[in-house]
Amino acid sequence: MQTIKGPGIFLAQFIGDQAPFNSLDSICGWAAGLGYKAIQLPTTDARFIDLHKAAESKSYADEIQGVVQSHGLEISELSTHIQGQLVAVHPVYDDLFDGFAPEAYRKNPKERTKWAISQLHDAAKASQHLGLNAHATFSGSLLWPLIYPWPQRPAGIVEEGFKELAARWLPILDSFDKAGVDLCYETHPSEDLHDGITFEMFLERVGNHPRANLLYDPSHFILQGLKYLDFIDIYHERIKMFHVKDAEFNPTGKQGVYGGYQNWIDRAGRFRSLGDGQVDFKSIFSKLSRYDFKGWAVLEWECALKDAEVGAAEGAVFIKDHIIPVTNKVFDDFASSGTDASFNQSFLGLS
């Protein structure tokens, strides 16, 4: 077994215009000062990393690594959640998701999709240049407006949606395979890949591609009412990344999973800072350790109540305290009888 690496921190929720959150150097100093050992780096802000340049230039990637390593940190993974979202967008969301794309591609869904796909190809090469072995993304969604089966779905539309989704992602998966990097989909509401069933439907259509893997985030399963510990037992061979994020689900007589169109603070299901929600992290860390998870435990901080910097400071300690230093021997070795194969044969009456 291997001890889970960490703590790491996903920087997406912390990047801003004020120091120390406005440059790679200063935010790395901040993260290291809190006790983090790695950063998970989003790729939509060129102040932190120019994704295309990192794909084209190994020397530039080395410069990025140098800045990070100067603070005693590693890059755990790159993230293209935003670009992955834009690989597949149902037309009803075009105007809303246009804000995620560069201005040149807005009001032009086909060109926006081409740009997003090119970003994923860049991410494969950039990850290779940085010496990384996993990458985080979303699948995007062509079918989310049909999540509830009323009005009745047209016959074959789900199959057609997954066929198209697979067609868009298969060349990307091949690029990641060529780069030697696992592509990890965060199974997330609003994505076509949002639970185990949808992941299996996708996996079948991409030929069980070896690079089609999972970013495990139990908070999204709390909000769906999914058994998040069983998910590890079922899919541990495909789980290559881990977001440590807490959540709570407190249904009432007035609202449940769908939340009544309320803001996050007023929903039955809410994301919370680590330790403030309902996720059983002791069991999660135990299961992942038991299955020899080789990746990083990375804080993704989201909370409707607590201050972000407080959550980040508490999160480093929380993750550190939950990582299990795995043993290299059996606890009852002291009681070994020291027998051998011939004794076993004799004891069983076989010789």
Side-chain angles (χ1 to χ4, degrees):
M1 294 186 295
Q2 178 172 313
T3 299
I4 295 172
K5 295 182 285 188
I9 184 169
F10 187 29
L11 296 182
Q13 285 81 9
F14 298 96
I15 287 174
D17 295 327
Q18 303 296 321
F21 307 110
N22 57 352
S23 76
L24 181 62
D25 183 60
S26 60
I27 205 169
C28 283
W30 168 78
L34 294 178
Y36 289 100
K37 304 300 182 184
I39 58 166
Q40 189 176 95
L41 191 57
T43 57
T44 52
D45 191 325
R47 294 177 301 169
F48 295 83
I49 186 171
D50 183 321
L51 182 60
H52 184 66
K53 191 173 180 180
E56 293 289 311
S57 171
K58 178 66 164 64
S59 62
Y60 171 74
D62 290 342
E63 291 174 15
I64 295 294
Q65 281 283 28
V67 172
V68 175
Q69 291 171 359
S70 71
H71 295 278
L73 298 172
E74 298 181 42
I75 300 174
S76 62
E77 302 93 5
L78 299 181
S79 152
T80 54
H81 284 86
I82 296 301
Q83 299 98 314
Q85 179 76 70
L86 299 183
V87 167
V89 176
H90 188 281
V92 73
Y93 295 121
D94 273 337
D95 289 341
L96 296 175
F97 281 140
D98 261 354
F100 287 0
E103 191 170 350
Y105 304 107
R106 296 172 188 173
K107 303 298 181 182
N108 192 335
K110 289 185 178 179
E111 291 303 312
R112 185 188 62 203
T113 299
K114 289 180 182 177
W115 170 80
I117 289 171
S118 72
Q119 286 275 288
L120 266 296
H121 286 293
D122 280 348
K125 192 64 177 178
S127 295
Q128 182 183 40
H129 281 165
L130 291 163
L132 307 178
N133 57 24
H135 180 81
T137 198
F138 282 151
S139 69
S141 175
L142 300 172
L143 295 168
W144 188 252
L146 304 176
I147 189 66
Y148 195 80
W150 179 259
Q152 292 182 14
R153 302 181 188 115
I157 197 167
V158 171
E159 291 74 13
E160 186 68 24
F162 271 90
K163 178 182 176 182
E164 176 62 24
L165 191 71
R168 295 186 189 188
W169 278 103
L170 189 55
I172 298 170
L173 287 163
D174 287 342
S175 285
F176 274 87
D177 193 35
K178 184 177 179 180
V181 179
D182 289 318
L183 184 57
C184 302
Y185 296 98
E186 182 171 358
T187 41
H188 186 292
S190 80
E191 309 302 318
D192 278 342
L193 307 191
H194 56 269
D195 59 10
I197 292 293
T198 52
F199 177 67
E200 290 182 14
M201 292 167 67
F202 177 76
L203 199 59
E204 178 183 359
R205 287 161 177 82
V206 295
N208 291 308
H209 201 290
R211 297 297 178 181
N213 289 292
L214 291 164
L215 188 168
Y216 177 74
D217 183 336
S219 68
H220 301 304
F221 299 150
I222 284 277
L223 271 55
Q224 294 184 62
L226 187 152
K227 293 183 177 181
Y228 56 89
L229 296 176
D230 289 356
F231 188 93
I232 299 175
D233 291 328
I234 297 167
Y235 299 111
H236 60 89
E237 292 181 351
R238 294 273 180 175
I239 294 172
K240 306 294 184 180
M241 292 178 61
F242 175 25
H243 270 177
V244 190
K245 189 169 76 172
D246 213 340
E248 63 183 355
F249 182 56
N250 298 305
T252 70
K254 291 186 176 183
Q255 63 162 276
V257 170
Y258 301 110
Y261 295 116
Q262 299 304 293
N263 293 323
W264 280 111
I265 190 104
D266 296 318
R267 294 177 68 87
R270 307 186 297 189
F271 299 124
R272 298 298 306 274
S273 280
L274 289 185
D276 295 342
Q278 298 169 347
V279 176
D280 180 1
F281 283 107
K282 286 187 177 181
S283 293
I284 288 173
F285 275 84
S286 293
K287 278 188 178 289
L288 289 175
S289 296
R290 181 257 179 265
Y291 287 121
D292 200 23
F293 174 70
K294 294 178 173 59
W296 289 86
V298 176
L299 169 73
E300 183 184 16
W301 179 89
E302 290 180 347
C303 186
L305 295 173
K306 186 168 285 184
D307 176 80
E309 292 188 52
V310 173
E314 293 177 347
V317 178
F318 186 94
I319 294 173
K320 179 178 179 292
D321 288 346
H322 277 77
I323 290 175
I324 301 169
V326 299
T327 182
N328 60 2
K329 61 181 182 179
V330 179
F331 67 89
D332 59 355
D333 275 350
F334 74 95
S336 173
S337 61
T339 55
D340 55 26
S342 60
F343 175 87
N344 293 341
Q345 289 276 321
S346 174
F347 186 80
L348 293 171
L350 301 177
S351 63

